[in-house]
Amino acid sequence: MQHKCEDHHMHKINTAEKLALFSDHWNPRIVGELNGQHVKLVKFQGEFVWHKHDHEDELFYVLKGSFRMEFRDRTVVLSENEFLIVPRGVEHRPVADEEVCVMLFEPASTLNTGDAASNELTRTVLEKL
Ligand code: NI
């Protein structure tokens, strides 16, 4: 029997397979979309830039490895199977001593570098995998 499905709807996604399709850092790929939110996969290594998002909460879920989320007053270490929600308006900076694979869940409007001046890490157009 044939059926039609649009995009990823009704198709399961294997995050390991998607992660194998790219190797660069700080460049999120969109792997799902629902209710105006994007599900993204990204690899971090090194230090990102300090920034905040005035209108979006961001969820970071560690699939493989670990990293630390720095806030102005504390640091949260995130390991595999752990997630953290960064509320809108809160300054943050992800830092990964070694490569980490992360799933992001955030509104489609979210710019990775938030309110930081556009820089070499800013990604305005994201690839869909
Ligand atoms: Ni952010």
Side-chain angles (χ1 to χ4, degrees):
M1 185 192 297
Q2 282 197 332
H3 61 279
K4 290 183 178 178
C5 304
E6 291 191 5
D7 298 323
H8 297 307
H9 296 164
M10 308 297 287
H11 293 287
K12 69 179 183 181
I13 301 295
N14 183 301
T15 58
E17 289 177 5
K18 294 297 187 187
L19 286 164
L21 297 176
F22 65 95
S23 57
D24 53 346
H25 301 128
W26 310 113
N27 189 6
R29 266 59 169 200
I30 297 168
V31 293
E33 185 165 7
L34 69 163
N35 303 318
Q37 307 262 331
H38 279 158
V39 180
K40 302 171 184 172
L41 295 178
V42 63
K43 296 179 180 181
F44 296 161
Q45 189 166 12
E47 295 181 351
F48 202 58
V49 291
W50 281 103
H51 67 281
K52 60 182 166 59
H53 309 271
D54 288 331
H55 305 291
E56 297 104 351
D57 304 326
E58 289 193 293
L59 183 149
F60 296 79
Y61 175 48
V62 176
L63 299 172
K64 193 164 194 276
S66 68
F67 77 103
R68 61 183 186 275
M69 186 65 81
E70 296 184 354
F71 299 101
R72 290 299 188 186
D73 60 347
R74 67 198 178 102
T75 295
V76 176
V77 176
L78 280 165
S79 300
E80 216 163 287
N81 299 320
E82 296 179 332
F83 73 84
L84 171 71
I85 297 169
V86 177
R88 62 195 68 185
V90 175
E91 282 190 295
H92 56 283
R93 178 174 77 153
V95 179
D97 294 330
E98 296 180 11
E99 186 179 80
V100 58
C101 299
V102 177
M103 175 179 281
L104 305 173
F105 186 54
E106 57 196 16
S109 59
T110 308
L111 181 64
N112 67 330
T113 51
D115 67 333
S118 188
N119 61 70
E120 72 280 359
L121 294 170
T122 302
R123 296 287 177 270
T124 53
V125 179
L126 302 185
E127 183 184 4
K128 292 189 180 185
L129 293 182

